[in-house]
Amino acid sequence: MSELVPGGNLALPGGAVTFRVHGPFDVSALVTDDGGKVRDDGDFVFYNQPAAPGAVLRGDTLTVDPTGLRTGATRVTVVVSPADPGTALVRLPFPVLHVTGTGGRPLARFTPSRPGQETVLLLAELYRHGDRWKLRALGQGYTDGLAGLARDFGVDVVDDTPPGPPPGASAAPDPDGFLSLVNSARATAGSPPLSLNPRLVSAAREHASAMAAAGRLGVETRDGVSVYQRVIDSGFAYLTIGEHLVSGPRTTAEFVAYCLRTDGPRRTVHDPAFTHAGLAHVRDEPSGDTYWTALWARPFTPDGLAGTEAAVIGLTNRERARAGLPPLSADPLLTTAAQAHSADMVARAFYAHTAPDGSQPWDRAAAAGSTRRSVGENIACGQRSPADVVEGWMNSPGHRANILKPGFTHIGIGFAGGGRAGMYWTQLFGG
């Protein structure tokens, strides 16, 4: 796999090419000719128009088949912007571009420079060179939004209204009274009310349908897609998430009563960390069973990510204090490397200290600019809070040894939602 720098080029093999940017971002694409202009508005691929000849957008993943592009198309420009239009790119994690070929073979990765005031980044372009197709890394920023960028490419844009509600929006209807039942239960527990989110509802409906088609419950369905991947693909980037996957209840009231019946599911309903929810149910006609998916989440925000990182560091330092050790200081370079590794584990569907390209923790720290002489790493997946993940590390001898190593003086925390396990954590230590 090639690590690209701005302006770097890569000859591509034949077949479709997939571009993915994990995190709180929207991916878009512009199909143009040699003059850099679209032929018409149909050449702009984004949330509200997720397909054009030869280009299909699904969630955070864009797939381009050069042989299927419209006549005269010689270039596809891949664009990234914040999923929440009110958030500046500089306040978000680096938008790392992963490029894969046929069969999921990794081809390239590109990490642009830290944005300044830009609101949109041109990440890369797929372009025809003779009878071959090549990839060029860009990293060029725009400050006037996705609409301004689109106008420069020749798209007729009326205004800068974002495509669809942001992750924190609450515009989904509640025809079955689900929200009133849940919020009544939360009020008795002293938890704040939830809002319904249309993207969570959409992800819940997809997962319930997949479970009904398979005839069984599961976090991951027969098609190999997890409920967490469906949430991310819906455009909802989260800081924490929970789910109820149930078959049997006939009505929404029965479903909520079932979730409140026992301690574990009830804790999820009452959890004050959650702010948004989605619910769907699908009936499997052959069996007559009804499959339910309820999703509970808190949307990703830059402040929320910073709070999560600070909480993990605080809990880590509490354990060090108990052992008579000095606290670790937050290190922005270690944080960059840790965040990139968590996002990479989600994007490339692995869980290991050694990445598929062979890179190790010290390699990633050095690539981020760190000059720490000693480096250690803890990773975890599935835990849904800073308290849970630090407790898990402390209960593991190897991870505990890293947390309590006297020679470490600095730390960086990475977190990413999605993938099979739902939440991926990285602690990167330096001394």
Side-chain angles (χ1 to χ4, degrees):
M1 185 181 69
S2 298
E3 292 282 353
L4 297 177
V5 298
N9 290 269
L10 175 69
L12 295 172
V17 181
T18 297
F19 303 88
R20 185 181 187 195
V21 182
H22 173 76
F25 304 103
D26 282 341
V27 177
S28 310
L30 293 140
V31 181
T32 60
D33 53 24
D34 286 334
K37 296 292 185 181
V38 300
R39 184 174 63 182
D40 54 42
D41 293 354
D43 283 342
F44 184 26
V45 179
F46 67 113
Y47 260 115
N48 279 357
Q49 185 172 270
V56 176
L57 177 65
R58 186 175 186 271
D60 60 2
T61 302
L62 171 74
T63 301
V64 178
D65 181 1
T67 64
L69 294 173
R70 55 119 174 132
T71 303
T74 58
R75 186 180 307 171
V76 179
T77 303
V78 182
V79 180
V80 67
S81 56
D84 178 2
T87 300
L89 281 170
V90 71
R91 300 187 64 207
L92 299 178
F94 283 90
V96 181
L97 176 67
H98 295 267
V99 185
T100 56
T102 303
R105 174 192 169 197
L107 298 177
R109 182 170 57 190
F110 173 53
T111 305
S113 301
R114 169 66 72 182
Q117 298 304 310
E118 294 91 342
T119 55
V120 175
L121 279 180
L122 307 186
L123 278 183
E125 63 179 7
L126 184 73
Y127 66 99
R128 189 165 62 195
H129 183 72
D131 59 353
R132 298 284 305 275
W133 286 84
K134 301 184 73 174
L135 176 70
R136 178 184 294 118
L138 298 175
Q140 176 186 345
Y142 271 68
T143 59
D144 51 354
L146 195 58
L149 168 70
R151 289 189 189 98
D152 284 356
F153 276 76
V155 178
D156 184 14
V157 179
V158 176
D159 57 35
D160 203 6
T161 302
S170 54
D174 183 24
D176 297 323
F178 168 69
L179 203 60
S180 60
L181 291 168
V182 166
N183 282 337
S184 176
R186 286 173 65 86
T188 63
S191 299
L194 298 172
S195 298
L196 277 181
N197 180 274
R199 295 187 179 188
L200 290 178
V201 172
S202 175
R205 185 179 301 111
E206 283 196 21
H207 198 74
S209 295
M211 291 192 300
R216 62 180 179 87
L217 299 172
V219 169
E220 185 174 308
T221 48
R222 191 167 54 190
D223 54 9
V225 181
S226 77
V227 67
Y228 314 116
Q229 289 168 305
R230 288 191 166 94
V231 172
I232 294 295
D233 287 347
S234 77
F236 190 104
Y238 56 83
L239 278 174
T240 187
I241 192 166
E243 74 284 338
H244 284 114
L245 309 176
V246 177
S247 66
R250 295 163 297 177
T251 66
T252 299
E254 287 183 7
F255 171 78
V256 174
Y258 178 88
C259 294
L260 293 171
R261 188 177 305 163
T262 55
D263 185 58
R266 184 168 56 246
R267 281 200 303 269
T268 299
V269 175
H270 289 166
D271 194 334
F274 298 135
T275 58
H276 291 77
L279 176 72
H281 61 278
V282 174
R283 182 179 175 86
D284 174 29
E285 293 302 336
S287 68
D289 292 334
T290 300
Y291 288 82
W292 297 78
T293 298
L295 296 168
W296 322 84
R298 176 182 290 271
F300 177 97
T301 63
D303 290 343
L305 178 61
T308 298
E309 294 170 351
V312 174
I313 293 174
L315 291 167
T316 299
N317 281 333
R318 185 179 69 179
E319 298 296 340
R320 287 177 64 87
R322 288 173 175 171
L325 296 169
L328 302 172
S329 299
D331 183 311
L333 298 179
L334 293 178
T335 297
T336 295
Q339 184 63 40
H341 188 57
S342 288
D344 195 24
M345 288 191 288
V346 171
R348 291 200 275 177
F350 73 97
Y351 176 65
H353 295 288
T354 302
D357 57 9
S359 63
Q360 301 283 348
W362 42 89
D363 300 320
R364 295 188 287 271
S370 174
T371 57
R372 302 290 170 192
R373 290 176 294 177
S374 62
V375 171
E377 184 179 78
N378 287 344
I379 59 174
C381 65
Q383 294 86 351
R384 295 179 178 178
S385 71
D388 288 345
V389 74
V390 173
E391 180 182 5
W393 281 326
M394 288 300 294
N395 288 333
S396 166
H399 298 98
R400 179 186 178 93
N402 271 339
I403 288 175
L404 301 181
K405 185 173 180 178
F408 288 146
T409 57
H410 290 76
I411 189 173
I413 305 299
F415 164 80
R420 289 183 170 182
M423 303 178 79
Y424 290 76
W425 307 82
T426 302
Q427 277 184 321
L428 196 58
F429 304 91

